[in-house]
Structure formats: C-alpha cells, structure tokens
Amino acid sequence: MKVPHGDDAYLFGEKIVSNFSSNVYQATDNTPLQAHLAAHMACIKHYPEPYPHRLEAAIARKEGVPAGCVLVTSGAQEAINLVAEYSDRSGTFLAPCYSGYAEAYDVCRQLDVETLLSPSGETDGSLGKTTWICNPNNPLGNVLPKETLTAFVAAHPSCLICIDQSYEHFTRQPLFSAAEALTFANLLLLHSLTKTYAIPGLRLGYVTAPEKICQLLRQRQMCWSVNALAVEAGFYLLDQGAALAPDVDALLAETQCLASALVALGIAVSSSDSHILFCELPAPFSSDELKGYLVEEHGILIREANSYFLPNACKTGCFRIATQTQEENNRLVLALEQWLAHKR
C-alpha cells in the first residue's frame, strides 16, 4: 500500500519532538479553532450536507466568484482524485512534484520546466486532457512566474491546466487569484486550508474553476466526503482565520537563515520562494540513514525524497524540510552538524 505523504510521525510514537517532514508549520496556534470545534461537537450527531454547498457559497463570496465555481473537498488529495477521474486517469505533471498526482492516474507523463517555458513547443494533444503544476512547488518551494503560467494556459486551450496552490499562503510571489483564474475556461486552482491553518487531520480544501468543470467533478464526488467538523472549521476559518495564519514574512526570513546555515554545512539547498527547502547531502551520504539518526538521537523528523518525481536528480542524498520555529531550526542544524562531522 502506498503512503502518499511524508509525515510518518505516527510510526515513531512519542519520539518526535520536532517535525520537519510535512509542509505544515507546526507552531501554528489553532487552539481557538479547537475550542470552537469543541463547543460545536454536537454537529457529529447529524449528517452534514451531502455536498457542502453552504460552505462553498461562503468561500465564493470571499473569493469574489460565483458559488458554482467552488468545490469543497476532503483535502487536496480528493480534488486530485476527482480530476484524475475526469481525465480518464491519464495526465501530465510538471516535475519535480508530489507523487500524489501520479498515484491518482493510471497513465502519466512528465513535463519539464524547459518545455513549460516554451509553451509553443507543445501541443494540446501531447499534453493530454489535464496537466498538473504545483505552484509554489513541492518539493522545491520555488514559484513559477505568473506571466509564464498565463502564457502556458493560453497556449493550451484544450487542456485543463490544474495549478495546485496549496502553499499559496507561504509566499510573497504573485499567484493567480480565483477571480483571475476564471478568465480562462481551462484553468483550475487547488487551495488547501489544511496547510495554511495546520489542520491536516481535518482534511479540508477546495477547487476554484469554471462552473462547468466544477459540475463535472461534482458528478464524481462521493456524498458526505467532507465531514461535519471540517465544514464547521471551514466557516470558522473564513471568519476568524486571518488571526490564526502564520506570520509569512517572519517565516520566510527564518527560512533564509535556515537555508544559509545548511549551506554552511556543505548541504546544497534549492532556491525557494516559500517555507519549503529541498536539500541534498554531499555524496555519498544517504538521506535514509540521516533520517534514522535524527529520529533516534534527536527526535527530529525529516522527509526523504524517494517518493518524489525528480528528473536528473539523485534521490539518495536528497531530503525536504519545512521551516519551523527558530529554536527547532537551530536544533536541526546542530544535529546535522554532528552527524556530518561523525560521517566525515
């Protein structure tokens, strides 16, 4: 059985004290949300709406789009699965990328950045029915220029271009708004409340797309896929979420400090526009071995890169982390320094 996510802290019991393996900022204070859900726990005694239309309407008002252009899902992965069904399980992906896209498809093809930067070099037929682009990228953390993506979408009107903006809160680079995306008939945006508010256990995301696309996806969605607590959380976060979201500027500044410290240790770090850092150990060191050491000796969890699509890259020494608090980041750097000194 495939495990699509890197956060495998459940495997280590109480050992983990610092979790860098998922792209959630663990220090996010969502205790007000927890208190709200505790006060509304009675909602679990009743079925939620078969499809969360009221929450979709509320999101649409906030995004400034028609209600029919929003589809709430049980996390980003449900949306990916629905799009895969829409496209007859055949799709294209901009690599490197999260493996969950490919795992939803039976037939998939990789698209490289060079091709995307020259959209006239591709035809709709060669792309297939759908193409996924993660922006900000997971695992690299970089953001593709908005004008580049605009040209790419315009150049392929027969292909549904799906841009996964799950990490949109964690960058200051320009991205598509939901209203801007709707000026294209073939552009779908994926949004994740899970990442922004550190609620992966609730599974809550949404799609914004032309109404016709949302209707086609709805036909494939199971009723009650979004549970009552997730819906209640959605309403609360639309109203109160701004106060709960992490301070992006402070987090990005800390990310740059962490990246510099890793480079000083001889670890290669990809340029990032978000809180995500993709790292490569000097040869011949193994990220699997490093992960085991960090867990056992320091209670620190990182994500090895063996489940990512990484063209022309060596996965053996690669790992991905997401910036956490300054104290945790310093602890990680010290542990890496000790491990590398021992290995050398």
Side-chain angles (χ1 to χ4, degrees):
M1 182 176 66
K2 295 179 180 178
V3 179
H5 253 281
D7 188 357
D8 53 0
Y10 58 87
L11 295 175
F12 305 104
E14 301 299 319
K15 287 183 179 179
I16 305 303
V17 295
S18 293
N19 187 350
F20 290 82
S21 73
S22 81
N23 291 326
V24 169
Y25 181 57
Q26 303 292 336
T28 300
D29 182 10
N30 54 28
T31 51
L33 170 62
Q34 295 177 37
H36 176 81
L37 293 180
H40 290 77
M41 192 59 66
C43 72
I44 68 173
K45 296 173 66 176
H46 308 281
Y47 282 96
E49 288 182 87
Y51 303 103
H53 294 306
R54 291 186 304 116
L55 179 56
E56 289 165 349
I59 292 172
R61 287 193 294 272
K62 187 159 189 175
E63 295 281 13
V65 301
C69 296
V70 176
L71 180 82
V72 170
T73 61
S74 179
Q77 190 61 54
E78 186 192 18
I80 294 168
N81 293 341
L82 293 173
V83 173
E85 290 185 30
Y86 158 80
S87 61
D88 302 321
R89 301 285 178 185
S90 177
T92 309
F93 315 89
L94 179 66
C97 66
Y98 162 58
S99 62
Y101 307 129
E103 289 169 2
Y105 287 76
D106 296 325
V107 179
C108 59
R109 172 175 173 263
Q110 292 187 38
L111 173 71
D112 57 40
V113 173
E114 289 71 23
T115 301
L116 185 139
L117 293 175
S118 303
S120 59
E122 279 281 354
T123 65
D124 288 345
S126 64
L127 281 184
K129 195 170 182 180
T130 62
T131 291
W132 281 96
I133 300 170
C134 189
N135 199 50
N137 181 268
N138 175 24
L140 299 184
N142 65 307
V143 173
L144 291 168
K146 189 175 177 181
E147 58 271 20
T148 299
L149 293 175
T150 299
F152 185 76
V153 173
H156 301 93
S158 298
C159 177
L160 177 62
I161 310 298
C162 307
I163 300 182
D164 183 350
Q165 293 190 173
S166 290
Y167 306 103
E168 59 195 339
H169 175 77
F170 297 98
T171 187
R172 289 304 188 194
Q173 296 302 311
L175 301 172
F176 285 112
S177 70
E180 288 173 330
L182 287 180
T183 62
F184 296 93
N186 64 321
L187 180 55
L188 175 151
L189 299 183
L190 178 55
H191 313 267
S192 174
L193 298 178
T194 290
K195 309 300 189 302
T196 303
Y197 301 107
I199 51 170
L202 276 178
R203 315 306 306 135
L204 187 60
Y206 62 97
V207 162
T208 53
E211 187 167 0
K212 179 180 178 181
I213 298 297
C214 286
Q215 288 174 348
L216 290 170
L217 298 182
R218 178 73 81 200
Q219 292 171 11
R220 294 160 173 82
Q221 187 178 34
M222 293 177 58
C223 63
W224 302 310
S225 69
V226 184
N227 70 74
L229 281 177
V231 170
E232 185 62 39
F235 282 118
Y236 180 85
L237 292 171
L238 286 176
D239 184 48
Q240 304 289 333
L244 305 185
D247 182 332
V248 179
D249 292 326
L251 188 59
L252 292 178
E254 184 61 28
T255 299
Q256 292 305 308
C257 292
L258 176 57
S260 297
L262 294 175
V263 170
L265 295 178
I267 297 172
V269 180
S270 294
S271 177
S272 177
D273 299 304
S274 68
H275 69 315
I276 302 169
L277 293 176
F278 187 76
C279 310
E280 185 172 5
L281 295 166
F285 300 142
S286 161
S287 59
D288 284 339
E289 183 180 353
L290 172 62
K291 176 180 177 178
Y293 165 82
L294 291 174
V295 168
E296 294 301 325
E297 300 299 326
H298 297 275
I300 295 173
L301 187 62
I302 61 171
R303 173 150 188 195
E304 67 273 48
N306 53 22
S307 63
Y308 286 110
F309 284 90
L310 300 171
N312 304 318
C314 174
K315 299 180 183 180
T316 303
C318 295
F319 63 97
R320 188 212 67 192
I321 57 176
T323 306
Q324 300 301 322
T325 65
Q326 184 180 66
E327 179 182 358
E328 290 177 294
N329 299 334
N330 291 342
R331 190 183 307 128
L332 171 64
V333 171
L334 180 60
L336 288 167
E337 183 178 20
Q338 294 173 355
W339 185 77
L340 287 168
H342 174 73
K343 296 298 291 183
R344 288 167 174 156

